[in-house]
Every structure is written in C-alpha cells, then in structure tokens.
Amino acid sequence: MTSSGFNLSEFLPYKLSVLSSRVTKMLSKVYSEEYGFSTPEWRVLVHVARREKMSVREIHDSVYLEKPSVSRAVAKLEQAGLLAKSTCDADHRLVEIEITDAGLKVFNAIVPDALSFEAALLEAFTLKERQDLHHLLLRLQDALDRQAEPVVQQSPKSRADT
Amino acid sequence: MTSSGFNLSEFLPYKLSVLSSRVTKMLSKVYSEEYGFSTPEWRVLVHVARREKMSVREIHDSVYLEKPSVSRAVAKLEQAGLLAKSTCDADHRLVEIEITDAGLKVFNAIVPDALSFEAALLEAFTLKERQDLHHLLLRLQDALDRQAEPVVQQSPKSRADT
DNA sequence: TGTTAATCGTTGCAAGTGAAACGAATTTTC
DNA sequence: GAAAATTCGTTTCACTTGCAACGATTAACA
C-alpha cells in the first residue's frame, strides 16, 4: 500500500494557487520592471486612481490587502509623489489619500500594458468562455463565503452581517 | 478627468489572486490547525506519499515550490518523523526522500479532510461546470506558457527544451 | 461631562520567501 | 586522467508579510 489515490496536480486549491502565482508573477513585470512597484503598491495606485479621496481603511476593505500593507504602500507611493496624504478635517484619525497628477500620469501609462496582458491571457477565449470563466470564479467565491460562516441556524432576529 | 475606466475588481489577475488566497487560507486550516503544517510541508508530504523515493529536485519540479522551500519542508517533516532522508548510493549529491509509516498515517488522516473541503467548494457545481472549470484553468495555463516564451522563430534544428 | 470602549493608521517583531552563494559530488571536455 | 563546468541540496541574507500592540482620536454610555 502506497497511499490512496490523491493527486495534488488535480487538486483544485493547488491548481488555483499555481495558476494565480504564475499570473501574478508575469503581471508584476508590467509594473515592477519599469516602475519598481510591488503588488500592494500596484493595487493601491489603481484603486485610488478611480475614486476621489479615500482612507486606508477603505482601501484595505476594497483591495484585499492587510492594513499594514496598505499603510506601507501608501507611504511609498506618497514618497514617490504619486499619492497625496492629508488628515481628514472631520475625523482626525482618518487619512485622506488622493492620487496626484504625476500618479495619474503613471497610472495612465501602466494600465494599457496591464490590460493587454490580460487580453493576451484571454486571447484564445471566445466570448462565452470568458463569461463562463467569470461566472465560475464568482461561484467559487460564493462557495467560500458560504464555507466561511457555516451559520449554525440563527435565531429569528438574525443579523445581516457578522 | 479622473482616470480611465480601469476596474481592479474585474481584472482577471486580481480576481484569480484573491480567490486563490482565500482558498489557500481556508484549506490551510485543514493541515495547519491540527498538524501545524505549512503549505510547503503539506505539498511535499502529499507529493512524496504517492511515489517511492524521490529527490529534492524532483519535488521542486513537481510541486511549484522553490528549492529552499522544499529543502526546509523536508527537513521539518523528517524531524517530525514523517519522512526519511538518505543519500543516494548511485549519486551522492542526491537525497532520497521517502515517506515513513507515521507519515503515511498522517497523510491518510488528512487527505479525506482536504478532499471534502474541495468537494464543499464544488458542491453546487454540475459535472459539466466542473469540467468547464478544469478546462478553462488549463487554457489559462497554456496561455501563460505561450506568453512565457514568445519564441522568436527558432532555427530548423530547434530545441525541445529551454 | 467623564469614563470606557471602539476605531484609525502606524510601527515592531517574528516568521516566511526568493535569489544568490556555497561546498560537495558528478559529468563533460580536452 | 586532470581541469573546467554542471548539478545537487543547503545555507545565508535581504526583503516581504501578517499579527499584535501602540498612541491618538472619536464614539458610546452612564
């Protein structure tokens, strides 16, 4: 007996992890080789680029990065002159983060490359296949959400969050 | 002008990364909470479990881990008595790694949990959807392979490897 | 209003990771 | 057969990451 028939290379979490690592690594060339950005910096920059002012907390919630990662990424991007920080008047705990003109310029220069990388990945996919992929990934996210909180049958006055 | 219409949350590399991170994190509970394994240790254990003897190099090639990670994982698993190391007679550079009875016991105890985690993820998927998912992920891998080496038109006596 | 609790962003710290370097062993080449 | 080049596994080192703690500020509550 040499163990059961478990094959790692056919195990969905493994396949996802390897694929994701490879994609992330290749994409990172787009923003690291030329601009020296790390992945957190990339995410923060492109996220801040589309909204007005936002806090560290909001970025943290939106971009799947730990608070310390966001904080450090923001600090580095500010130091590079691509982001501007200021304390919120209404609440002095909050930091208002905003993209600068220089940041927007970099953003506009990088995004096309990122998009064409994505396009190259999906080059051979039909429209339906792209929709299927999108849909299946969403379904997996849903399964994770359900898995995360096995909800032990809540009482009538249940809560929407938690 | 507040930047172009780039939406990170619809960007495939980002979606893949977030999904993969979440899946990996949840799966890791299966092997870390009870056995204290890290992801490299989990991968090495389940990979070594199915074959006879193998080298660090072979694991490195098979399991998408850096050589140092494999080396450390093997060392830790050996220290825990789950793997056995010995130098190869035919080539003293190589290390022969083999699972022990204790390792096999742990393996057999963990695998069902890992499989039922995967099953829970795919619970709501029809057979066709599972096949589609598998197929689409493979297609992405292919796209990455093609992207990795844009192959600058090789000479007639081309090489199979590189 | 004054005290406690909660929230925000940052920093410290321990653990993990990847790239290069290293000694040991083998293969290649002349 | 000796020298150079390659391969193997480990170690070192710089860097990143996640978690917990912290000071500062605001909210809750009595």
Side-chain angles (χ1 to χ4, degrees):
Chain A
M1 160 225 201
T2 313
S3 83
S4 81
F6 181 80
N7 193 346
L8 185 62
S9 62
E10 288 171 11
F11 188 53
L12 180 60
Y14 174 76
K15 288 193 293 186
L16 270 178
S17 176
V18 170
L19 179 63
S20 165
S21 296
R22 293 188 64 194
V23 169
T24 296
K25 193 170 187 177
M26 289 209 68
L27 171 66
S28 75
K29 287 183 186 171
V30 170
Y31 49 72
S32 85
E33 238 163 41
E34 191 158 5
Y35 295 94
F37 293 151
S38 67
T39 297
E41 290 160 27
W42 152 256
R43 287 193 190 168
V44 168
L45 183 71
V46 299
H47 184 69
V48 173
R50 51 194 321 276
R51 313 221 175 178
E52 302 299 329
K53 295 180 176 179
M54 51 195 327
S55 68
V56 169
R57 171 76 172 165
E58 188 181 355
I59 301 175
H60 159 67
D61 286 337
S62 307
V63 144
Y64 202 76
L65 289 173
E66 297 298 319
K67 250 191 317 175
S69 295
V70 175
S71 180
R72 290 188 247 258
V74 167
K76 206 163 183 183
L77 290 170
E78 185 203 18
Q79 189 180 343
L82 308 181
L83 256 46
K85 279 171 64 177
S86 56
T87 45
C88 175
D89 284 343
D91 187 339
H92 284 200
R93 294 172 302 181
L94 275 64
V95 172
E96 287 177 340
I97 300 159
E98 205 175 4
I99 196 166
T100 64
D101 288 347
L104 212 49
K105 201 171 283 187
V106 170
F107 171 81
N108 285 324
I110 293 190
V111 163
D113 292 342
L115 286 175
S116 55
F117 170 73
E118 183 188 37
L121 276 186
L122 295 172
E123 188 185 8
F125 285 55
T126 65
L127 176 59
K128 177 176 185 336
E129 286 172 334
R130 294 170 199 226
Q131 291 169 341
D132 284 352
L133 178 62
H134 177 71
H135 183 238
L136 290 171
L137 295 184
L138 273 184
R139 297 274 303 281
L140 284 175
Q141 296 275 9
D142 290 345
L144 278 173
D145 292 338
R146 248 173 289 121
Q147 195 77 359
E149 41 157 336
V151 176
V152 198
Q153 196 52 264
Q154 204 86 19
S155 68
K157 53 179 174 189
S158 65
R159 333 222 308 279
D161 58 291
T162 13
Chain B
M1 162 222 200
T2 313
S3 83
S4 83
F6 181 80
N7 193 347
L8 185 62
S9 61
E10 288 171 10
F11 189 52
L12 180 59
Y14 174 75
K15 288 193 293 185
L16 271 179
S17 176
V18 170
L19 179 62
S20 166
S21 296
R22 292 188 65 194
V23 169
T24 297
K25 194 170 188 177
M26 289 208 68
L27 171 66
S28 74
K29 288 183 186 171
V30 170
Y31 49 72
S32 86
E33 240 163 40
E34 191 158 5
Y35 295 93
F37 293 151
S38 67
T39 297
E41 290 159 27
W42 151 257
R43 287 193 190 169
V44 167
L45 183 71
V46 299
H47 184 68
V48 173
R50 49 194 323 274
R51 312 218 177 181
E52 302 299 327
K53 296 179 174 179
M54 51 195 327
S55 68
V56 168
R57 171 73 171 167
E58 188 181 354
I59 301 176
H60 159 67
D61 286 337
S62 307
V63 144
Y64 203 77
L65 289 172
E66 296 299 319
K67 251 191 314 177
S69 294
V70 174
S71 180
R72 290 187 250 255
V74 167
K76 208 163 183 183
L77 291 171
E78 185 203 18
Q79 190 181 341
L82 308 181
L83 255 46
K85 277 171 66 177
S86 57
T87 46
C88 176
D89 284 343
D91 187 338
H92 285 201
R93 291 172 304 181
L94 276 63
V95 171
E96 287 178 340
I97 299 158
E98 206 175 2
I99 196 165
T100 64
D101 289 347
L104 212 47
K105 202 172 280 184
V106 170
F107 171 80
N108 285 324
I110 294 190
V111 162
D113 292 343
L115 286 176
S116 56
F117 170 74
E118 183 189 36
L121 275 187
L122 296 172
E123 190 185 6
F125 284 56
T126 66
L127 176 59
K128 181 179 180 337
E129 285 172 333
R130 294 169 200 227
Q131 291 170 340
D132 284 352
L133 178 62
H134 177 71
H135 183 239
L136 290 171
L137 296 184
L138 272 186
R139 298 274 302 281
L140 285 174
Q141 295 275 10
D142 290 345
L144 278 174
D145 292 338
R146 246 173 290 118
Q147 196 77 359
E149 41 157 336
V151 177
V152 197
Q153 197 53 264
Q154 206 86 17
S155 67
K157 52 178 174 190
S158 66
R159 331 219 311 276
D161 58 288
T162 26

